[in-house]
Amino acid sequence: MAIRERSKTIQKQILRDVVHHPKDIVSHISSIFSLSRQAVNRHISQLVKAGKINATGTTKNRTYTIGSVRSNTLILDISAGASEHDVYFNKFPDILSGLTQNVEDIVFYGFTEILNNAIDHSNGKECFISVDRTAEKIQISILDDGEGIFTKITRACNLADEKQALLELHKGKLTTDPENHSGQGIFFTSRMFDEFRIYSNKLVFTHDHKSTHDIIRDADYVDKKGTLVLMSISLNSKRTDKEVFDEFTVAAEENDFAFNKTIIPVEMVRFGQENLVSRSQAKRLLLRIENFKYVYFDFENVDTIGQAFADEIFRVYKLRHPDVLLHHTNASNDVIKMIKRAEAN
């Protein structure tokens, strides 16, 4: 076991230092650990084979550079606060170097926003951070040992249950600390990455850029305290943070670039196979949408709605909040008939 741990220590040192010692990494590591050049070369050969280091040139003039396969983990004490920016730049620089500008911007935004949430909101003591990079993608994992994001949102915002908390996360502009946070971090992070998941208290929130809808489901894993966030993005992604911000910004007036648009999948308010017929179901959907100017209700996978459900949204709410502009998309003929009937009244 001791030999294996020493090998890990040596290889970690090689990966840290190869950036600054591309031509003399062998002698550099040899002097640190009092190893023969032959022993150091064995470690380097293993790293080259694993894709963690690239080797070019002849034996005498060989140059080593960091490879496409990179990873690092960290257990961070967050009980007394911490700086997400310092962690990003000081603990993971070699893992994240060499990215295209658009991917780097997205990784930086997501990493710092999610870690900041753990530091400021989780009420936890420790946070486990893992960043893994392959030739194809980067995956970031951030796990805190706090009370759990859905539990805290439900409690702090006085919501009916934790599934309502997930729905509110999807809408955006949700924060338990409005004086210090805008509530935009998780919303935009989930839409910048190719895949984004939150696991907490046996519930999962999933956003996949290949899918038009977020998914809320029960988790098939052992219940653990805290919140786990997983996010990944292809190294070849052409997506930019600006286009994601712009997607949810409608310029109502000149120089007005506020986050003022939300798209709400109506089926997220439905539990199981229940029909959407009641005013109480509609009110769950309408919660907090006065924070937006443009609201789009996406009726994909919803074939029918009840008269009371439609009336609560498209007549009662419209009359009470004329400044909120309600729209609908992907509505079936039956749904459109109910909406028009409500509007006509």
Side-chain angles (χ1 to χ4, degrees):
M1 180 63 72
I3 295 175
R4 185 180 302 174
E5 290 301 319
R6 178 169 167 79
S7 294
K8 288 182 179 180
T9 301
I10 294 169
Q11 293 187 8
K12 282 184 177 179
Q13 190 75 40
I14 293 171
L15 291 171
R16 279 197 296 265
D17 294 354
V18 70
V19 175
H20 306 290
H21 295 271
K23 294 183 179 295
D24 65 337
I25 189 66
V26 176
S27 58
H28 173 71
I29 296 298
S30 177
S31 63
I32 292 177
F33 292 97
S34 299
L35 292 171
S36 67
R37 295 178 65 90
Q38 184 180 16
V40 175
N41 276 318
R42 282 199 296 269
H43 286 292
I44 290 178
S45 295
Q46 291 176 12
L47 293 172
V48 170
K49 186 176 181 179
K52 296 182 177 181
I53 284 182
N54 296 324
T56 57
T58 59
T59 303
K60 289 185 177 181
N61 297 307
R62 183 153 294 179
T63 299
Y64 296 97
T65 56
I66 193 163
S68 59
V69 178
R70 312 175 194 180
S71 64
N72 192 23
T73 60
L74 172 70
I75 297 178
L76 179 68
D77 181 358
I78 59 174
S79 59
S83 168
E84 63 273 12
H85 292 79
D86 288 346
V87 174
Y88 181 91
F89 288 113
N90 296 328
K91 301 299 182 180
F92 296 92
D94 297 336
I95 311 299
L96 301 168
S97 65
L99 300 174
T100 58
Q101 189 63 54
N102 66 304
V103 172
E104 182 180 355
D105 291 342
I106 288 172
V107 168
F108 173 77
Y109 182 89
F111 183 101
T112 54
E113 285 289 339
I114 300 304
L115 181 54
N116 177 261
N117 277 340
I119 294 169
D120 286 358
H121 300 305
S122 72
N123 298 326
K125 296 180 180 179
E126 288 186 337
C127 187
F128 173 80
I129 307 165
S130 172
V131 180
D132 294 285
R133 177 172 173 175
T134 68
E136 292 80 32
K137 67 179 182 179
I138 279 187
Q139 176 166 301
I140 301 169
S141 306
I142 298 178
L143 169 65
D144 67 64
D145 60 355
E147 68 173 309
I149 184 172
F150 307 141
T151 301
K152 177 160 187 179
I153 290 172
T154 303
R155 174 179 57 78
C157 298
N158 195 28
L159 301 177
D161 52 47
E162 293 191 4
K163 287 189 176 180
Q164 181 73 37
L166 272 74
L167 176 59
E168 298 309 306
L169 273 178
H170 174 92
K171 294 176 185 176
K173 288 190 178 182
L174 178 69
T175 178
T176 57
D177 184 13
E179 290 187 4
N180 299 303
H181 292 269
S182 65
Q184 300 181 20
I186 289 178
F187 179 88
F188 283 115
T189 298
S190 68
R191 282 148 182 80
M192 289 180 188
F193 282 78
D194 295 343
E195 296 179 339
F196 180 91
R197 294 178 184 173
I198 303 176
Y199 295 82
S200 184
N201 196 21
K202 292 188 176 180
L203 289 175
V204 185
F205 172 89
T206 301
H207 181 87
D208 189 317
H209 80 291
K210 295 178 181 178
S211 174
T212 56
H213 288 298
D214 291 347
I215 298 173
I216 299 173
R217 63 178 175 84
D218 294 326
D220 51 356
Y221 75 108
V222 177
D223 184 24
K224 292 184 179 180
K225 185 179 179 182
T227 302
L228 170 63
V229 178
L230 301 176
M231 42 193 165
S232 65
I233 186 169
S234 168
L235 298 182
N236 296 321
S237 175
K238 303 303 180 184
R239 193 179 308 111
T240 67
D241 55 358
K242 181 181 182 301
E243 71 184 45
V244 176
F245 289 130
D246 288 349
E247 183 181 354
F248 296 93
T249 301
V250 179
E253 300 175 2
E254 187 176 358
N255 299 322
D256 177 12
F257 299 104
F259 172 26
N260 57 8
K261 171 186 172 183
T262 186
I263 303 172
I264 305 173
V266 176
E267 71 168 338
M268 287 182 72
V269 81
R270 179 169 57 192
F271 293 159
Q273 298 300 314
E274 68 181 8
N275 295 320
L276 298 178
V277 296
S278 70
R279 293 188 186 274
S280 61
Q281 290 171 317
K283 288 175 181 178
R284 290 169 68 94
L285 206 63
L286 293 167
L287 189 64
R288 294 190 320 107
I289 69 167
E290 65 275 6
N291 294 324
F292 302 90
K293 185 173 181 61
Y294 303 90
V295 178
Y296 292 78
F297 294 105
D298 188 343
F299 283 91
E300 185 172 337
N301 298 326
V302 177
D303 296 326
T304 62
I305 56 175
Q307 182 272 330
F309 182 89
D311 186 70
E312 186 66 31
I313 297 173
F314 294 100
R315 185 185 67 84
V316 176
Y317 191 89
K318 261 190 172 182
L319 288 174
R320 292 176 179 170
H321 301 274
D323 293 336
V324 180
L325 304 180
L326 305 183
H327 306 270
H328 57 81
T329 61
N330 297 321
S332 68
N333 290 333
D334 288 341
V335 170
I336 290 174
K337 287 178 183 178
M338 279 296 184
I339 293 173
K340 287 184 175 180
R341 181 181 298 176
E343 291 175 333
N345 290 333

